[in-house]
């Protein structure tokens, strides 16, 4: 019963996120990493249809066989997928068709949830809901990208952004953690992703970690000190990126008539100096840390210190590459493609963000992105 | 008075062409040459606002200053334009905003048309209407591309396609034209584009030109004879195109379970063998002609023979590059950018097509495209 | 007997052109259009081996079967060719091997030339020699590119450059040619390329053509008047080229400490203001003409006026696209690939240049290049 | 005195490696990662001139100021460098000029080495020699690439390749290492790179590691089992690589008439089944391991087990990303650019190879490359 409610809550939340959009906003894909909102709505639905309904509900009628082709993402086991760069070319299925698809699948899922379920099925449904929650965060980040790169800079909503000011009165900045062996990874009965398993020991040197995130004002000082013009702070790959992109500020920052503005949910606004820095990539995070004479924490340092930290406003870049934990194994079949196949060329981010669904993240949660990407709500916490 | 009616008719026709679309169809840009339908609707309106209303109507209120940036195409004189490849990223202005823009401009234009107009203004309005008619043809070709490249292959409408069957009973195939001096270019009081002027003399050798277009059945014979596998029929540049694109048939042709289908206004249909061939580029047109031991006519041969030909179903590739006529001069200002700036690396097409607005073309009309393009309604007429 | 002498002269001249080079200079390919000098030496030799020796000399021993793969250029009939962009990766065959290849083929060719030859064979040998002369011009242009793009700017030789000063005292600038029918194309018993045939009639309007080429000083005035910053003078395609390449001067021109220099056969030298302009592409040629309120001649205007002109210092861009003459037919077999396959997307140049082999060109000669290219010795003659 | 001998030995070895080459082989750069041999010879010399002679030898005469531009690699502190992709376009300086440059610098270095040196200078000279040894390995790998991608497949030398057969009689395959805390990183008085410092503790779970490398025969079994056609063994990024490159075997393997050959120092030879596998990238290494139901060791597991292993024939891919050790700091100035700037998007390799200079590597040595690269002598050791 709780699972059925949970299902309804999660599914409705995806549609609520899109409610402020115009039909046209559901369709476009300005860059390859951003997906059209209607694709997210269809893809999360396709997950339930493909992995729950079709194998487990006798007599279930597939909504449209072509949708398998359109809404598959990277599951090589389940057939040909739309090349990712082509998603923004698809005007059909229309948004109303995607909504009917969601209703069709939701009705069938509700029937399924009314019946007694095996533990395997329950696990798979919980995975599907966590998967949809991940796409809810992507809906926010992709909507912000679509609207924030439109020359009209339309607002998404009227309410105040959730990014709270990082107070200077929150106590001492650096927390000291002693040397020793720490337990890392998920433990317990709740849901976790396969990449958080197996709990294991890690030896940490003594270190210090900041109790708060870097603010816009602090990062602006780096910009004004010429940080984007001095190769010494940058990785070679990061410096190439700076020169190729002609970048000199975080994503969504614009200098208008000599004044710093940033695009927010309410449109273009004066830069909020006290807010936690957002939308910088790994190159920028490490360059800033180098300029401060510090570094980023490893994901293990982060996890060991996490119970003592306030977190959840920004995904925090760590100095750890995304690699398997000792004893990591892929699940068999398509579900096994979930995480393991991405364990190369990506860096780990820990924490959560203002657009992470409530209750979705935890201190063992491992988010990951390529070091050049910055359209997620990413920030910096320093260590040394 | 006749001009005001004409204005209303042309403007309404653009909207009628889009009437069968869903909102989502107005937004996408699958390849750089195709523009989103809402962009065509906005751009043609921007023309009237920029060149007629703003300079000539005191007190005219611009609909939205940002639209100048969004809907400019290639008029370098009038300010920064949206990079063409980015048009498909713009979810805003929404379709309903573009429609309000059209109404706003149409109301102001109607007021202007109620007043006595100088010959210069009349000429400029007629140019604006001919410009909009050109975009009406592009609306058709771009809509066909958007729907015809969607994996669901949605139909545009239910009615029969307009491409008539090319009858074998239309009389003798080849018309003989004697050697001599011919007059080429527009003459008269009506509207013509600057590229059709100045009427001048051309010496033609004796030649023969077909009285009818090549059919799908005839082109299929070329395919089945291995035409796409034999470099001898192709220009070097065309052969590179064949190998890079792995092309082996006209655009919109698909071989499904061994049977030839083509995408039409009614969706995917069995290939209509008697219909005039469509959607081939200059490389394919010349390769086909070479395989037949013939060639394409020059644009001068076409024009000299035109009064004796039936034409208007397909734009017909000629063997003439798009170059200025003797005495050609650009108009001063932004209007002067209309045609002259494209006079390099393009080939001339003559005639008209099933989606050319009625009365828009004439025998002196010079259409032009890069030799690699084929999403227009292009066909072949042979000569020797 | 004269043919044998001619063969020896032409073959030795290719090697003489390369004599000032270091071994390393024979190897590199800085851009795709430039070929390594050793490739030219091998390719011209391969022509004689493939089309003369192998089919006509019983018992001829191929020098190395792999060379067919390495030194073929664009003759699709004769087997797989090295992708053009890869030529600069080939350190082997070494220069000394290529020289031994030349000797091997020359010895066999001399034997062949000692015997009575059919007219067909004679024609083919003459074609091979004209082909080698074309590559002699390419040797010069490619050597200049290789040395002129080296940061050390090494000189090719010590002697004075051949580009003579364009005197102002050469008489009236513009020659008037009356309207009428003119005969165009090659006539006579000598050698000509297939693209110069069939002699045919062309009707020309009255026109004026300059008796001399544009000088560096005249073009510098265009630069200083902001010609590269004003889109109105440019084709749309040319303007894109200017912005992408950030070009603001002819190839090999460098502004060093505020002074104009150009790379010459003697290294970097102060710009020679009186010399005929060189190394501009079609976009630049037409932009300059537009700025002067004039235009380029068509290739027919050029040929009709040629007997009255001094020409041969620069290949002169014309306003004619490279297209077949009426009645043009390709020769059967690989030799038929010579010219016809390039008759799309190229512009015709007429005349000759300071690095054209003596006696190679004539007034009916049709050279052709893509409008964006400028590493050949190309200049401007105005018309109106 | 020992340092002076050492200097002479290392410097002569670089030239000995190049001795079998033809002049042409010194010049080319077939892909961006491969540098022309003459560039390696110049760049290692430039290091001594720039960091030793110019700052420390009063009155030292720079060989050629332009060489700073030509032979700088990635030292942003020391001025503009030649874009890496352009190195293969430079025919000058000629090989003989580079050799004179080496003699000029060697003579000055020998004078310097005859004098009493501060410890700082000694350290810098030792760094310069280790730097040259790294380029000696690159000379081998780049020469193999240049010759092995030439269609003539020329041999480098006549002697037997050094890759010994991996015997099955070397004892048990898997070595068991107990759980616990291990010390990692360099300790001692000898030379090491900054990335091997600081020695620190790491906690390892119990693991097993193979006592020998994977052989060609074993990898061939993976190929024949369809390993390159089954996405389940691959990272998403690796699978994209397979599909884009159409790869189905290690670099230098060729299937000729159904028989497996590989390019070796002696030219194209039948595949040596017993030899240790070489020239595979990280994607291939992990795919092979996944197919075997095993994994690669981490760099810490490798180092902890190393004293018990036989190593040195192949650089061994580890499952560790290249990241700073705890307490890592960059040296100030240009020397500080040596390693730290590459610590993103690369994987660590441990061990050494048949072309690593004798005595150059050690068990704490950290080599690193992008996961897609395979032109180094890279192999696989399994763990679980």
């Amino acid at each position: 019963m709780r699972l059925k409610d949970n299902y309804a809550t999660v599914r409705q939340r995806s549609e609520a996120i899109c409610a402020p959009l115009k039909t046209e906003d559901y369709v476009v894909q300005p860059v390859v990493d951003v997906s059209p909102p209607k694709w997210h709505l269809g893809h999360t639905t396709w997950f339930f249809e493909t992995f729950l309904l079709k194998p487990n509900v006798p007599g279930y009628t597939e909504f449209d066989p072509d949708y398998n082709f359109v809404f598959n993402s990277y599951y090589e086991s389940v057939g040909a997928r739309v090349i990712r760069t082509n998603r923004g070319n698809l005007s059909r299925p229309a948004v109303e068709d995607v909504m009917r698809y969601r209703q069709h699948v939701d009705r069938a899922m509700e029937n399924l949830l009314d019946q007694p379920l095996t533990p395997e099925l329950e696990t798979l449904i919980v995975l599907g809901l966590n998967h949809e929650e991940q796409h809810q965060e992507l809906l926010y980040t992709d909507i912000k990208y679509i609207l924030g790169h439109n020359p009209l800079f339309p607002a998404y909503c009227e309410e105040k952004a959730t990014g709270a000011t990082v107070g200077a009165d929150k106590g001492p900045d650096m927390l000291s953690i002693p040397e020793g062996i720490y337990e890392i990874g998920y433990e317990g009965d709740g849901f976790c992703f396969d990449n958080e398993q197996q709990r294991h020991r890690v030896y940490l040197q003594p270190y210090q970690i900041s109790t708060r995130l870097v603010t816009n004002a602090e990062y602006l000082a780096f910009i004004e000190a010429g940080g984007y013009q001095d190769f010494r702070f940058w990785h070679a790959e990061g410096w190439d990126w700076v020169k190729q992109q002609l970048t000199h500020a975080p994503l969504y920052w614009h200098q208008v008539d000599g004044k710093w503005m940033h695009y927010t949910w309410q449109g273009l606004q004066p830069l909020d100096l006290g807010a936690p820095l957002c939308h910088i990539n790994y190159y920028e995070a490490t360059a800033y840390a180098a300029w401060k004479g510090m570094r980023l924490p490893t994901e293990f340092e982060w996890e060991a210190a996490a119970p003592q930290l306030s977190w959840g406003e920004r995904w925090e870049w760590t100095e750890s590459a995304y690699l398997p934990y000792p004893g990591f194994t892929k699940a068999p079949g398509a579900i096994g493609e979930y995480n393991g196949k991405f364990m190369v060329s990506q860096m780990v981010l820990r924490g959560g963000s203002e657009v992470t669904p409530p209750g979705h993240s935890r201190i063992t949660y491992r988010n990951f992105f390529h070091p050049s990407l910055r359209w997620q709500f990413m920030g910096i916490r320093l260590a040394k």
Side-chain angles (χ1 to χ4, degrees), chain A:
Chain A
M1 181 61 186
R2 245 190 60 234
L3 187 54
K4 191 180 174 187
D5 289 349
N6 199 7
Y7 180 88
T9 304
V10 170
R11 295 284 289 168
Q12 283 158 20
R13 193 171 179 273
S14 298
E15 294 168 27
I17 291 169
C18 296
L21 301 182
K22 299 214 173 194
T23 302
E24 291 86 342
D25 300 325
Y26 285 85
V27 180
V28 299
Q29 179 177 40
V31 291
V32 61
D33 298 302
V34 166
S35 292
K38 73 169 180 166
W39 185 88
H40 288 297
L41 294 178
H43 167 69
T44 48
T45 305
W46 168 90
F47 186 102
F48 289 107
E49 185 178 58
T50 302
F51 297 118
L52 274 301
L53 296 177
K54 283 163 72 176
N56 297 300
V57 177
Y60 170 74
T61 308
E62 197 174 5
F63 183 74
D64 186 330
D66 284 332
Y67 282 26
N68 191 46
F69 178 68
V70 172
F71 290 126
N72 190 352
S73 62
Y74 50 78
Y75 298 93
E76 302 275 355
S77 315
V78 203
R81 60 186 161 121
V82 175
I83 303 296
R84 194 165 180 177
T85 43
N86 285 346
R87 284 178 196 163
N89 301 340
L90 300 184
S91 60
R92 313 286 180 94
V95 174
E96 62 191 11
D97 296 326
V98 175
M99 291 305 184
R100 288 196 299 115
Y101 180 38
R102 289 183 71 88
Q103 286 159 20
H104 177 90
V105 165
D106 284 351
R107 228 165 293 142
M109 280 298 297
E110 283 155 19
N111 287 341
L112 180 64
L113 284 158
D114 282 337
Q115 288 154 32
L117 299 170
T118 63
E120 288 73 26
L121 272 195
E122 284 206 7
T123 300
L124 206 48
I125 293 170
V126 170
L127 177 62
L129 294 176
N130 275 274
H131 172 254
E132 181 136 359
E133 285 181 338
Q134 291 183 314
H135 280 276
Q136 287 173 357
E137 177 141 8
L138 292 172
L139 272 170
Y140 274 119
T141 59
D142 293 1
I143 289 168
K144 185 167 182 180
Y145 196 99
I146 288 165
L147 300 180
H149 284 76
N150 189 293
L152 308 183
F153 292 120
Y156 168 72
C157 62
E158 298 301 316
E159 314 131 46
K160 178 82 191 69
T162 56
T165 295
V166 177
D169 54 343
K170 284 185 173 170
D173 264 0
M174 301 303 284
L175 195 67
S176 289
I177 309 285
E179 174 174 37
I181 293 176
Y182 291 83
E183 297 274 328
I184 297 294
Y186 186 77
E187 193 178 44
D189 296 335
F191 172 82
C192 79
F193 284 108
D194 56 355
N195 62 4
E196 301 168 61
Q197 284 163 350
Q198 322 276 339
R199 192 158 172 92
H200 64 285
R201 294 176 183 184
V202 166
Y203 191 92
L204 298 180
Q205 326 298 316
Y207 65 101
Q208 290 185 290
I209 189 166
S210 175
T211 56
R212 60 175 190 76
L213 298 175
V214 169
T215 64
N216 285 336
E218 289 170 319
Y219 197 81
L220 187 55
F222 168 66
I223 295 175
E224 290 174 346
Y228 281 89
Q229 284 79 48
D230 191 336
F231 68 89
R232 289 176 304 155
F233 304 127
W234 298 80
H235 288 107
E237 191 177 298
W239 186 239
D240 288 344
W241 174 82
V242 166
K243 286 183 296 183
Q244 272 171 24
Q245 305 293 321
L246 305 175
T247 314
H248 61 287
L251 189 65
Y252 300 122
W253 288 32
H254 301 274
Q255 217 168 1
V256 182
D257 300 331
K259 197 180 157 195
W260 281 104
M261 310 287 283
H262 61 163
Y263 177 77
T264 71
W265 296 118
Q266 286 75 46
L268 209 56
Q269 301 287 337
L271 184 64
D272 182 352
L273 292 170
L277 170 69
C278 201
H279 299 303
I280 43 84
N281 65 23
Y282 180 76
Y283 308 135
E284 291 169 298
T286 51
Y288 175 81
W291 178 70
K292 294 292 280 188
M294 301 176 81
R295 61 175 176 84
L296 305 180
T298 66
E299 65 168 321
F300 310 113
E301 290 172 339
W302 193 95
E303 187 169 328
Q308 302 147 85
L309 299 175
S310 159
W311 57 268
E313 288 193 296
R314 299 287 177 259
W315 285 104
E316 306 177 18
W317 285 108
T318 73
E319 205 175 53
S320 296
Y322 182 48
L323 291 168
Y325 282 174
F328 171 79
T329 47
K330 290 190 200 179
I335 294 299
E337 294 188 49
Y338 207 92
N339 274 308
K341 70 196 292 187
F342 297 113
M343 288 179 174
V344 68
S345 302
Q346 319 232 22
M347 301 304 289
V348 172
L349 299 106
R350 290 300 194 98
S353 86
E354 64 180 76
V355 295
T356 307
H360 177 75
S361 192
R362 60 201 149 262
I363 66 169
T364 58
Y365 196 99
R366 306 174 78 198
N367 200 351
F368 54 90
F369 280 96
H370 277 275
S372 65
L373 298 177
R374 53 186 198 160
W375 95 108
Q376 299 294 305
F377 287 74
M378 295 147 160
I380 303 176
R381 184 187 301 273
L382 295 172
K384 66 180 176 189

